[in-house]
């Protein structure tokens, strides 16, 4: 005879039901926080910037390897000229306090320093490749991220949470994975002629990039995108033009021009122009730090294209590196930073929500209001 089980033995226990419900609720909350429309939009914009940087890297490598053309200052000069012809001219025809002459009267020396930082940051990073290794450039270039966070803390009064530091650490881990993949794939062929000089140039260039990005975030959020691009175009053209005549006139004179070389210069200039034009738009809805984390994938895009264009060897670590960087980027963007008000009196400073990741904060407030109603 078979023993019959009690009638209620097949029913799930209340404790098991509660645990399953809590797990499902937690997963839904994580999904709702990490995969919102605003985060997906920020990811897409960040990867668009990475593709622009990838375009500049591919065209520069083609010029250097196929045609023996190494003129980074000339390439930057063309980009600054495009910015000047479009955005500086726009400022010249504006009226009131946004007019070019009024801006120059009040802040000309500040924009000279900004233009100098931007021009030299581009030049120093490219020049460092002649002295040090690819691995050193990729690793030390990340030095700009903690510098950028420190400058944002003191200048923009940005206040970070624990999740932001974890996200940055995850992104840097992804960069380390990428460097390891480069070594295993045999891309580390050049040991450099003077590694110490090259490493110093990378650190200086990364620091100047951080200064430029912090200034860009301040100007874009407090003033206007046109003012930033117009003034960078004006003084970038002047500074890079002078430096071009000093350091690259012999290299330019030795170029054997043809339509292929000209086309590569045009492609580089268009990619760089798009990068400069769109980056302020992305920074305005996020922050300079999140943008710099997002564009860490640019080297990986260059590697993927290099598989077909330059015969690079593939490594599965590249996919792992891309995934780790994207996870860190999503973690950083999932939580908005806070902005502390400037200390203007003897009273303790008031801390409020800043405008970094503004779209994320608005969406978070809407979700909280909806939960309160329910």
């Amino acid at each position: 005879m078979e023993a019959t089980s009690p009638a209620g033995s097949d029913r799930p226990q209340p404790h098991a039901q509660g645990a399953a419900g809590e797990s499902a609720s937690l997963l839904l909350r994580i999904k709702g926080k990490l995969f919102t429309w605003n985060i997906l939009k920020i990811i897409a914009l960040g990867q668009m910037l990475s593709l622009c940087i990838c375009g500049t890297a591919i065209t520069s490598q083609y010029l250097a390897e196929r045609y023996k053309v190494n003129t980074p200052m000339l390439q930057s000069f063309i980009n600054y000229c495009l910015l000047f012809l479009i955005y500086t001219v726009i400022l010249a025809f504006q009226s009131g306090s946004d007019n070019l002459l009024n801006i120059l009267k009040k802040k000309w020396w500040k924009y000279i320093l900004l233009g100098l930082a931007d021009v030299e940051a581009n030049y120093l990073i490219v020049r460092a490749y002649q002295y040090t290794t690819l691995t050193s450039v990729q690793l030390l270039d990340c030095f700009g991220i903690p510098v950028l966070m420190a400058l944002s803390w003191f200048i923009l009064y940005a206040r970070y949470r624990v999740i932001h530091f974890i996200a940055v650490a995850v992104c840097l881990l992804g960069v380390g994975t990428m460097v390891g993949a480069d070594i295993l794939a045999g891309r580390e062929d050049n040991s450099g002629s003077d590694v110490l000089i090259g490493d110093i140039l990378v650190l200086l260039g990364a620091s100047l990039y951080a200064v430029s990005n912090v200034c860009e975030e301040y100007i874009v959020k407090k003033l206007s995108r046109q003012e930033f691009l117009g003034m960078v175009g004006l003084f970038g053209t002047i500074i890079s033009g002078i430096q071009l005549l000093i350091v690259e006139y012999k290299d330019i004179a030795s170029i054997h021009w043809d339509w292929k070389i000209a086309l590569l210069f045009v492609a580089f200039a268009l990619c760089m122009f798009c990068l400069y034009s769109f980056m302020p738009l992305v920074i305005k809805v996020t922050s300079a730090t999140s943008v710099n984390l997002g564009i860490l994938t640019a080297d990986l895009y260059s590697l993927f294209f290099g598989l077909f264009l330059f015969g690079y060897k593939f490594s599965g670590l590249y996919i792992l590196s891309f995934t780790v960087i994207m996870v860190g980027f999503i973690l950083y963007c999932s939580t908005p930073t806070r902005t502390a008000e400037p200390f203007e009196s003897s009273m303790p400073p008031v801390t409020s929500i800043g405008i970094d990741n503004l779209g994320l904060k608005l969406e978070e407030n809407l979700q909280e209001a909806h939960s309160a109603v329910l």
Side-chain angles (χ1 to χ4, degrees):
M1 242 182 111
E2 294 181 359
T4 57
S5 61
S9 61
D10 293 335
R11 296 178 183 175
Q13 297 298 320
H15 177 71
Q17 284 183 328
E22 290 179 1
S23 299
S25 175
L26 179 61
L27 290 175
L28 288 175
R29 288 181 62 186
I30 293 175
K31 179 182 178 182
K33 193 171 184 64
L34 296 183
F35 298 100
T36 64
W37 165 245
N38 281 291
I39 288 182
L40 293 176
K41 181 174 65 175
I42 291 169
I43 292 173
L45 291 172
Q47 298 316 293
M48 180 186 68
L49 297 179
S50 285
L51 288 172
C52 290
I53 297 174
C54 171
T56 63
I58 293 295
T59 51
S60 294
Q61 191 163 354
Y62 250 108
L63 285 169
E65 292 190 1
R66 301 293 173 87
Y67 301 101
K68 308 302 178 184
V69 175
N70 291 287
T71 55
M73 191 54 63
L74 174 60
Q75 293 164 238
S76 296
F77 176 74
I78 297 172
N79 169 58
Y80 289 122
C81 286
L82 290 176
L83 295 175
F84 173 81
L85 292 174
I86 295 177
Y87 295 105
T88 309
V89 171
I90 290 176
L91 289 179
F93 286 98
Q94 287 186 346
S95 58
S97 60
D98 295 331
N99 181 264
L100 176 62
L101 293 179
N102 287 329
I103 295 173
L104 289 175
K105 288 178 182 178
K106 298 177 181 178
K107 296 172 281 189
W108 61 272
W109 64 273
K110 296 180 181 179
Y111 283 115
I112 288 179
L113 295 178
L114 174 59
L116 186 64
D118 196 76
V119 171
E120 298 308 323
N122 288 320
Y123 179 75
L124 290 175
I125 294 293
V126 175
R127 185 58 66 184
Y129 282 99
Q130 297 183 3
Y131 298 99
T132 190
T133 62
L134 175 66
T135 299
S136 294
V137 174
Q138 289 175 328
L139 286 176
L140 296 177
D141 194 28
C142 297
F143 176 72
I145 293 177
V147 173
L148 179 57
M149 295 180 72
L151 291 175
S152 297
W153 180 284
F154 292 107
I155 297 176
L156 302 178
Y157 302 99
R159 297 296 179 263
Y160 304 100
R161 304 180 185 183
V162 175
I163 187 66
H164 295 121
F165 295 105
I166 295 174
V168 171
V170 171
C171 287
L172 296 181
L173 177 63
V175 174
T177 306
M178 176 181 64
V179 171
D182 283 343
I183 296 174
L184 293 177
R187 292 190 66 228
E188 194 58 42
D189 298 327
N190 179 26
S191 60
S193 59
D194 197 327
V195 175
L196 180 60
I197 292 178
D199 291 348
I200 292 174
L201 291 178
V202 177
L203 293 175
L204 288 175
S207 301
L208 289 176
Y209 266 131
V211 172
S212 176
N213 287 157
V214 167
C215 294
E216 180 175 2
E217 181 175 352
Y218 179 86
I219 296 169
V220 166
K221 291 182 176 180
K222 300 289 187 180
L223 302 172
S224 72
R225 166 177 170 264
Q226 287 79 10
E227 180 170 334
F228 170 78
L229 293 174
M231 301 311 291
V232 167
L234 173 61
F235 290 108
T237 300
I238 296 172
I239 295 170
S240 63
I242 295 173
Q243 190 164 338
L244 173 70
L245 296 175
I246 297 174
V247 300
E248 285 187 359
Y249 70 95
K250 291 183 179 179
D251 296 324
I252 297 173
S254 64
I255 298 176
H256 301 288
W257 291 94
D258 60 23
W259 67 271
K260 293 180 182 179
I261 293 179
L263 185 62
L264 287 171
F265 270 96
V266 171
F268 177 92
L270 290 177
C271 289
M272 187 67 83
F273 178 78
C274 290
L275 174 66
Y276 271 73
S277 297
F278 290 127
M279 185 177 282
L281 297 176
V282 185
I283 286 179
K284 190 168 186 178
V285 297
T286 58
S287 66
T289 304
S290 62
V291 169
N292 276 267
L293 293 176
I295 62 178
L296 288 175
T297 57
D299 286 336
L300 289 166
Y301 288 129
S302 300
L303 292 170
F304 295 146
F305 281 105
L307 295 174
F308 305 98
L309 299 176
F310 304 110
Y312 292 160
K313 294 180 181 179
F314 178 76
S315 171
L317 289 177
Y318 290 139
I319 303 297
L320 177 61
S321 173
F322 181 85
T323 304
V324 172
I325 291 174
M326 290 306 300
V327 168
F329 181 50
I330 293 172
L331 282 177
Y332 189 94
C333 294
S334 65
T335 304
T337 57
R338 303 178 71 87
T339 302
E341 295 297 330
F343 192 70
E344 296 180 352
S345 66
S346 59
M347 298 295 291
V350 179
T351 301
S352 63
I353 295 297
I355 57 179
D356 290 354
N357 300 338
L358 181 58
L360 297 177
K361 190 58 194 174
L362 292 175
E363 187 171 278
E364 186 179 284
N365 290 338
L366 289 175
Q367 290 175 350
E368 291 175 356
H370 180 67
S371 299
V373 170
L374 291 178

